[in-house]
Amino acid sequence: MEAIVAEDLSKSFNGLKAVDRVSFSVHEGEIFGFLGPNGAGKTTTVRILTGVIEPDSGKASVLGFDVVKEKLKAREKIGVVPEAANAYPDLSVWKNMMLTAALYGIERKKAEAKADELLRVFGISERKDSRVKTLSKGMKQRLMLSMALVSDPELLFLDEPTSGLDVASARIIREKIMELSREGRTIFLTSHNMEEVSMLCDRVGIINHGRIVAVERPGDLRDRIGGSLAVEVEFDRKVDLTGFPDVKARGNRYVLYTTDAHDTICSIVDFASRNGLRITGLNLHAPSLEDVFLKLTGGESDA
Amino acid sequence: MLRKIWAITKKNILMYYLKGPVLIFGVLFPLFLFLAFYIGRSLSAAFLIPGLLAMTLFFTSTSVSPVIMPWETQMKTLERLISCPITVRTMIFGDILASFIFGIIISIVPVVIGMVMGVGVKAPLTLGAAIIIGAFAFSSLGLLFSTIPTDLVSNVMMLSNLVKFPLIFISGIFIPISDLPDWGVAVASLSPLTYFTDIARFSIEGYAFYPLYLDFLLLIASAVLFLVLAVKLHERTLVRRF
């Protein structure tokens, strides 16, 4: 069974299409990464799937429930960590947990036991009586994840869960995501961190300008571009490499996708000597997920 | 559903009762208005107390509910809240209930002040029923102000005060309706606060301008109208907060 099915979802704001006929599905039990540049439609898609906003057209179901007609039933089964959302800053960690549990209709004693367990797992139990506004960003995010898990959801929506966190907090969250996946839960993850997505996700969907441009396994995505090798070259100054096919610029570094590394490297060396450039770095590697992302989204740098 | 409403109410009580705008517009403003009206004039306590009670209930009940939505939008707690399995109605009832409780608790103060000044309540049950219905009506009115999908509390408070202040002056608080000219009575009849003030005068002074059943009927009608409008408008504007 599919945990999430999105069919031709479209949503516009003030005449601008944020999401344009988006279709994809997420299998039960998988970690699905959702990538796209800023403003590509990631958060709008998550908001439609979690029933926060309604699509203009198209339909979607979450765990078999229609996200418009049966949104409450769907929400009972999911946990959400929205992008840039906060817990109540003037309430304690514990009161935030109890509030969430009450909103999911969880019986008090059960909620207390679950909250105790989650706060311990996420390493914030000693701060349970502290007001949220006194916590560090990493602790706040760990609390947000604890709140999303208090109802024992079958499906988790995590919108940038490790963005801007310290190494320790990001690691705790990643480990927990993997553990939740091992328990058979489905996870829908949006992230800026390519390494994280590559490491955690079973499949990845890439959205750009409101449209899905690829849904594949990270390995298949890497194989998909250019045949394929990535030649990364760095010069001592910025240059114009538009004469080369299939090139992406990243500051003074350029990545050229090719099936023939020898010819490409010779062309680069020739180009450098003709233009009096110094080659300050040269690498040959299989394309990373980041390379795939940049190629599919036309080089926009934010995922 | 009741447990969820109560959870939201409790959250609102803990989060918003002690916020600056709530205390300023809900407690200090009616007190200063009353003192400005009272000091230097030889008015009887029996006349003053119903007016003070009406003003206090009106200001306090409309002080909590308008600030919740813009504050939650600003703090980015709203999206997390509505991702939970609750309806907009559940959330609105939780907001109204928090405002309602605040209004009722603070409105006890003028009643006690009246007792200290030797002004007893002649019809306590009538007054109690009016306070409950009035607090509900005014809390719903307060929530109506926050239907504009803004995250600026000051914008909502400005709109709220734009409506609240004129109502204070046309509702028989400072001048009894019986002393108003015909056009004044017509204007007063447009304000739901008029009917609460009339019941308060009946309960404390022993007379009312309108028949009591009409006061209650119109106060209940106002409560229903404000509630329905608040629910419908919030259901429509909530998505525009994201």
Side-chain angles (χ1 to χ4, degrees), chain B residues 29-39 48-49 52 55 174:
Chain B
F29 245 78
L31 179 70
F32 288 138
L33 266 178
F34 175 76
L35 289 175
F37 177 65
Y38 174 66
I39 292 170
L48 286 169
I49 295 302
L52 177 63
M55 200 161 56
F174 300 122

Side-chain angles (χ1 to χ4, degrees), chain B residues 80-156:
Chain B
R80 178 76 194 80
L81 186 66
I82 65 161
S83 303
C84 294
I86 57 165
T87 58
V88 176
R89 285 171 198 209
T90 303
M91 196 163 66
I92 283 173
F93 276 114
D95 293 353
I96 289 176
L97 194 56
S99 215
F100 169 83
I101 293 169
F102 190 63
I104 287 183
I105 291 170
I106 305 291
S107 70
I108 293 169
V109 176
V111 176
V112 172
I113 291 174
M115 284 173 170
V116 171
M117 292 169 81
V119 179
V121 178
K122 291 173 181 159
L125 287 180
T126 305
L127 186 65
I131 288 175
I132 289 169
I133 299 165
F136 191 82
F138 304 145
S139 299
S140 304
L141 174 66
L143 205 68
L144 207 49
F145 297 135
S146 68
T147 51
I148 320 158
T150 176
D151 62 353
L152 295 172
V153 176
S154 55
N155 283 0
V156 174

Side-chain angles (χ1 to χ4, degrees), chain B residues 149-177:
Chain B
T150 176
D151 62 353
L152 295 172
V153 176
S154 55
N155 283 0
V156 174
M157 294 314 277
M158 195 171 64
L159 172 72
S160 147
N161 288 326
L162 203 67
V163 176
K164 276 156 62 177
F165 275 95
L167 288 186
I168 286 289
F169 292 102
I170 63 163
S171 301
I173 289 173
F174 300 122
I175 305 162
I177 303 169

Side-chain angles (χ1 to χ4, degrees), chain A residues 17-19 36-44 207-210 300 302-303:
Chain A
K17 281 224 161 176
V19 168
N38 283 341
K42 297 189 300 289
T43 296
T44 302
I207 186 169
N208 193 28
H209 299 301
E300 292 170 63
D302 285 332

Side-chain angles (χ1 to χ4, degrees), chain A residues 47 52 72 75-76 80 82 84-91 95 99-100 102-104 106 144 147-148, chain B residues 3-4 7-8 10-11 14-16 19 72 75-77 79-87 239 242:
Chain A
R47 283 176 174 160
V52 172
L72 284 195
R75 283 183 193 163
E76 278 168 13
V80 186
N86 290 322
Y88 287 96
D90 289 325
L91 299 188
K95 285 201 170 105
L99 168 66
T100 309
L103 296 179
Y104 277 86
I106 302 164
M144 290 298 290
M147 286 161 70
Chain B
R3 198 171 158 231
K4 292 181 182 181
I8 292 172
K10 265 201 315 190
K11 176 263 295 176
L14 294 167
M15 283 293 298
Y16 303 110
K19 292 278 185 198
E72 299 247 348
M75 290 187 303
K76 300 189 185 301
T77 50
E79 189 171 350
R80 178 76 194 80
L81 186 66
I82 65 161
S83 303
C84 294
I86 57 165
T87 58
V239 292
F242 307 109

Side-chain angles (χ1 to χ4, degrees), chain A residues 15-16 41 57 86 107 132 138 144 161 172 180-181 207 249 265 287 289:
Chain A
L16 288 173
S57 61
N86 290 322
E107 187 224 326
V132 168
M144 290 298 290
I172 289 173
L180 291 165
S181 175
I207 186 169
I265 291 169
L289 192 58

